[in-house]
Amino acid sequence: MSMENDLKIAGSGSVSGGEYRHIAISGSGRIHGDVLCESFRVSGSASGKGSITCRGEMKCAGAFRIDGDVTAEEELKISGSCTVDGDIRGGEIAIAGALRGKSLHGKRLRLAGGLTLEGDAEAEEAHLSGGGRIGGLLNAETVRIRLGSGNGRLTVGSVGGTDILVESEGAVVGLFSRLFGGRRGRERLVTTLIEGDTVELCYTECDVVRGSRVVIGEGCRIGRVEYSESYDCRDDASVREAVKV
Amino acid sequence: MEDHLISKKDLLLRYGISYGALYRWKRMGLIPEDWFIKKATVTGQETFFDEKTVCERIERILNRKDTSSLEELAKTLSGVKTEPTLVVTTPYGVRRFRREELLSARIEGEESRDVTAELLSLFEGKDNTL
């Protein structure tokens, strides 16, 4: 079981899977088979048929497509576009670009771009800004979603965790654009269920919110709130019913 | 015949645990994902659990927390050969059967074939030490 060989593809090339030390693809590369490596770097366009398991860091700047699972034990960094027909596992996961996959598990997830997942996203901490879609559950100890002043939306099946905070950047920007540009859109979080210990929302559309301490802020449209300790609803929010449980 | 189910809400109330704690235990593998059963109710989608299984597990977690860490418990639980259970997934939910709950099984079609022995034999084979 040797991981002594590095693999470099510059230009156009195609290699078989296997065990490598450092893999670097710049240009257009194709990998056939599962890969186990120490580090993996793509800049350009690459595709893989099989899974990639990386003990260290995996960096993708360019377009990368893989028909399998991706595991980057230390760090997965994407600035570009990465399409994974499988599950994504990583320690630190940082996306400034677009990531598409089935499910995602990491220690820390930072998204500034687009995330499209069929299933669940789980992490200890999840910081999301940008749009996208998570089909299943977004679950983290700390969920922090920052909505911008574009017209996009973040659609999530359901959100669960300990501290869930949805904030909207640019209250000042919003005012500016309203004065000079007419009514710009607002990014929104759209989901069916949010459950947490502390839940603070704005510009969120949600059927049911459950928590110990719940604050419904501006721009929210909520069906039902169930809270156990405290509940605050700001003026510019619509909540159909709020129940203390 | 329905297994006795408990809703997530009732479970949290019964044991005085928070959403955050429950989700944390799920992420750690202390409560398996397939134990979360989603059903449609009057108030929308709600999550239920098999009452006996989940309560046993929650009590184990709560009793254990002070003497050993959750990580240690997660490791123990993943390594422990729990009682073999036949898990059948249907569009309407997940059904679980322990060995002693299977009285008989057969495949009915043009002919009827008794598969009880075959099915029960699947519970054997692995060393079932706890």
Side-chain angles (χ1 to χ4, degrees), chain B residues 25-26 29-36 49 57 96:
Chain B
W25 297 340
K26 175 185 183 288
L30 289 167
I31 300 177
E33 188 165 335
D34 59 9
W35 287 16
F36 290 69
F49 299 89
R57 180 58 56 88
R96 308 188 118 79

Side-chain angles (χ1 to χ4, degrees), chain A residues 101-121:
Chain A
K102 288 198 168 135
S103 74
L104 183 151
H105 291 251
K107 284 209 191 86
R108 206 149 63 136
L109 168 64
R110 282 180 192 280
L111 167 75
L115 176 61
T116 309
L117 289 179
E118 274 171 41
D120 299 343

Side-chain angles (χ1 to χ4, degrees), chain A residues 64-80:
Chain A
F64 184 43
R65 187 184 184 96
I66 173 153
D67 293 340
D69 300 331
V70 163
T71 302
E73 284 166 30
E74 270 180 37
E75 185 179 9
L76 173 62
K77 206 163 175 170
I78 295 164
S79 56

Side-chain angles (χ1 to χ4, degrees), chain B residues 1-4 50 52-53 83-87 95-105 116 119-120 123:
Chain B
M1 194 169 56
E2 275 255 308
D3 295 331
H4 199 252
D50 177 273
K52 187 169 182 294
T53 335
E83 198 180 339
T85 305
L86 174 66
V87 180
R95 301 295 313 278
R96 308 188 118 79
F97 304 93
R98 289 189 302 277
R99 194 188 190 286
E100 56 269 18
E101 290 175 321
L102 290 169
L103 299 177
S104 77
T116 315
L119 197 55
L120 290 177
F123 283 80

Side-chain angles (χ1 to χ4, degrees), chain B residues 1 28 38 46 115:
Chain B
M1 194 169 56
M28 295 176 76
K38 287 194 164 52
E46 279 205 39
V115 295

